[in-house]
Amino acid sequence: MTYQTTVGSLTYRFADLKTLLAKASPARSGDSLAGLAAGSYEERMAAKIALADVPLRRFLDEALIPYEADEVTRLIIDSHDAAAFAPISHLTVGDFRDWLLLDSTDSRTLTAAAKGITPEMAAAVSKLMRNQDLILAAKKCRVVTRFRNTIGLPGHLSVRLQPNHPTDDVRGIAASMLDGLLYGSGDAVVGINPASDSQATLMQLWRMMDELRQRFDIPMQSCVLTHVTSQIQAIEAGAPIDLVFQSIAGTQKTNESFGIDLALLREAHAAALSLKRGTLGDNVMYFETGQGSALSAGGHHGVDQQTCEARAYAVAREFRPLLTNTVVGFIGPEYLYDGKQIIRAGLEDHFCAKLLGVPMGCDVCYTNHAEADQDDMDNLLTLLGAAGITFIMGIPGADDIMLNYQSTSFHDALYLRSTLGLKRAPEFDAWLAKMAITEASGQLRPIGRGHDLLRAF
């Protein structure tokens, strides 16, 4: 179906819905690299005007990637909840934006509608929204998950403690863990990106984290971010695995480039559930995503990178994860060129995921060859805090010495919590107070050499 609009004396035509979405996207280097971006500001605005008039129902009739060719498309269509969609089924994309911003569209209403919203609908409406719209609407979305603590409560912010080491040195990782815990970080997950894929090394990391957790009765969960097949094998070998991790994307072809499909994720989900390690809940998966992955893998099918990213959240939603994380600036300036593009992408990703009912965090980050700096990251961090981000990263000095990129530090989490009045996961907060790491107010206490955690190392 052709879409068109007339602006002044010019008529702009867009061959199909996929093209219309791409042309309506805010400028980013990845879409330009793929030849999908609007050729001018005027064409981009014309596409937005045309997109605003598209009925939401149209996204159920016109698949961007054919149903027969892509299992993610099949998942989106087959799992669509018609009853949840019914209250908004009469809206256009422009009407949908207006509805999202109404005061009467509250958290309860958005939760009820989530399973009726497809990723393409979420991506489409985000393209019509200013940054403040993305913040306001995302702030109203509530996605609460549980494993050993409760994540995503209103007014709370969790932190993934990321104690990476370039040689997987256990003492080095443990030192970073100690540093993070004493700064009150780690309530989202203690998650290690290993340098090695050696099963012996991975087992050592899982056991070290679990021994520390048990020794101090910490209400936390741990994860080693290796390939899902290695985690299934480790579960079979008796590893103390809390969360199963995998990078995911929004198309079958891209997921295949990661060595996964939905069947493998279902196997991993079932394996993690079988361990019954959660004490408060059974959200056992941890996913990471990022704009540009489908284009990088040649699996985008001519779909713009932000819409591909939103489709990844349909995959995440299927497995009820404890955490999902957009690693927003990690893929590099070929896909998000500068601080402005990274900030916009982070707000889009958070909004779309929360709208779909996915517990969303953000690795507020950039690579050293991007046209961005730490001031840009401070801006995105603060905006996401205002938008109700579920969790951020906590890395010593904000500098990951294994992955070699710039992220956020334990101090950044303290800043955000202090500035916006955000709390940690309640169970983790109680543990910090019990361990005399924090005052009753939640503020950090001075730690002496005789503290129990310091003696552990």
Side-chain angles (χ1 to χ4, degrees):
M1 177 178 175
T2 300
Y3 300 85
Q4 68 178 52
T5 190
T6 299
V7 180
S9 61
L10 294 177
T11 297
Y12 292 86
R13 293 181 174 84
F14 307 95
D16 50 27
L17 192 54
K18 176 168 60 177
T19 302
L20 180 63
L21 287 167
K23 300 296 185 184
S25 290
R28 62 207 57 201
S29 52
D31 290 338
S32 295
L33 179 68
L36 303 176
S40 65
Y41 289 109
E42 290 80 5
E43 185 183 23
R44 181 173 297 114
M45 185 53 66
K48 290 178 184 288
I49 293 169
L51 180 59
D53 290 333
V54 174
L56 290 182
R57 286 187 178 276
R58 187 65 197 159
F59 293 92
L60 301 175
D61 299 328
E62 185 178 341
L64 306 187
I65 303 172
Y67 182 93
E68 299 77 12
D70 186 90
E71 69 172 358
V72 178
T73 299
R74 293 194 289 275
L75 173 66
I76 292 167
I77 298 301
D78 294 348
S79 63
H80 182 253
D81 188 328
F85 180 60
I88 59 172
S89 62
H90 62 290
L91 300 178
T92 65
V93 177
D95 295 333
F96 188 33
R97 172 191 173 274
D98 295 342
W99 179 82
L100 287 168
L101 299 177
L102 289 172
D103 289 340
S104 57
T105 304
D106 56 13
S107 299
R108 186 186 299 259
T109 303
L110 290 170
T111 298
K115 290 187 178 179
I117 301 169
T118 69
E120 292 85 354
M121 294 175 194
V125 75
S126 76
K127 297 177 194 298
L128 305 184
M129 300 172 83
R130 295 168 57 185
N131 285 1
Q132 69 172 241
D133 298 339
L134 297 172
I135 293 167
L136 177 60
K139 178 79 170 180
K140 296 192 287 185
C141 297
R142 297 280 180 261
V143 186
V144 178
T145 56
R146 295 177 175 86
F147 189 75
R148 289 199 188 94
N149 57 31
T150 306
I151 295 173
L153 293 170
H156 288 67
L157 170 75
S158 294
V159 177
R160 171 188 159 189
L161 205 172
Q162 185 171 308
N164 295 343
H165 192 277
T167 63
D168 292 332
D169 180 79
V170 173
R171 288 182 60 83
I173 290 170
S176 292
M177 286 177 60
L178 172 64
D179 192 19
L181 290 170
L182 291 175
Y183 275 109
S185 291
D187 51 341
V189 63
V190 178
I192 302 169
N193 296 90
S196 168
D197 60 1
S198 159
Q199 197 74 350
T201 298
L202 300 177
M203 292 291 278
Q204 188 178 26
L205 297 178
W206 276 307
R207 287 171 178 153
M208 180 271 290
M209 289 189 290
D210 199 55
E211 287 168 5
L212 180 69
R213 176 190 67 82
Q214 292 191 64
R215 179 174 177 180
F216 293 100
D217 194 25
I218 311 174
M220 69 176 214
Q221 38 279 331
S222 64
C223 184
V224 177
L225 284 70
T226 188
H227 194 270
V228 67
T229 52
S230 296
Q231 293 166 89
I232 293 172
Q233 292 170 7
I235 288 172
E236 293 170 348
I241 292 179
D242 292 338
L243 305 185
V244 168
F245 163 81
Q246 182 55 48
S247 293
I248 57 172
T251 73
Q252 178 178 332
K253 186 173 182 181
T254 308
N255 283 327
E256 287 172 349
S257 77
F258 295 162
I260 64 168
D261 57 20
L262 295 179
L264 181 59
L265 292 179
R266 291 190 179 101
E267 180 184 351
H269 187 227
L273 286 173
S274 72
L275 298 179
K276 298 184 181 351
R277 290 175 59 82
T279 55
L280 296 183
D282 64 353
N283 300 115
V284 296
M285 303 298 283
Y286 175 28
F287 295 121
E288 286 192 346
T289 68
Q291 287 193 30
S293 60
L295 175 57
S296 177
H300 63 295
H301 299 272
V303 177
D304 70 90
Q305 67 182 40
Q306 188 254 333
T307 302
C308 282
E309 170 71 4
R311 284 168 54 96
Y313 308 150
V315 177
R317 181 168 64 178
E318 176 72 4
F319 298 97
R320 302 186 301 108
L322 182 76
L323 307 164
T324 302
N325 175 40
T326 172
V327 192
V328 67
F330 184 74
I331 199 166
E334 298 85 359
Y335 304 94
L336 295 169
Y337 178 72
D338 57 13
K340 182 175 182 177
Q341 292 187 9
I342 293 170
I343 289 169
R344 174 69 190 190
L347 295 175
E348 289 170 346
D349 294 352
H350 177 247
F351 162 77
C352 288
K354 286 288 186 64
L355 188 62
L356 294 169
V358 174
M360 196 62 166
C362 183
D363 191 342
V364 178
C365 65
Y366 64 102
T367 57
N368 288 318
H369 64 311
E371 290 294 321
D373 59 26
Q374 206 63 44
D375 285 337
D376 294 313
M377 298 306 103
D378 286 350
N379 292 343
L380 178 54
L381 176 69
T382 306
L383 293 172
L384 286 170
I389 193 75
T390 300
F391 70 103
I392 61 169
M393 303 297 109
I395 298 170
D399 186 0
D400 193 300
I401 59 174
M402 196 280 282
L403 293 173
N404 293 310
Y405 76 114
Q406 307 303 311
S407 185
T408 49
S409 70
F410 309 135
H411 298 81
D412 292 326
L414 294 176
Y415 148 74
L416 200 59
R417 285 174 172 148
S418 176
T419 303
L420 299 180
L422 302 173
K423 300 177 181 179
R424 303 172 184 88
E427 300 84 1
F428 192 79
D429 226 5
W431 176 80
L432 291 172
K434 183 182 76 172
M435 292 292 293
I437 295 172
T438 59
E439 307 282 1
S441 64
Q443 298 296 311
L444 294 177
R445 297 182 61 180
I447 300 296
R449 291 186 177 181
H451 193 276
D452 287 349
L453 276 177
L454 291 174
R455 288 202 299 267
F457 294 89

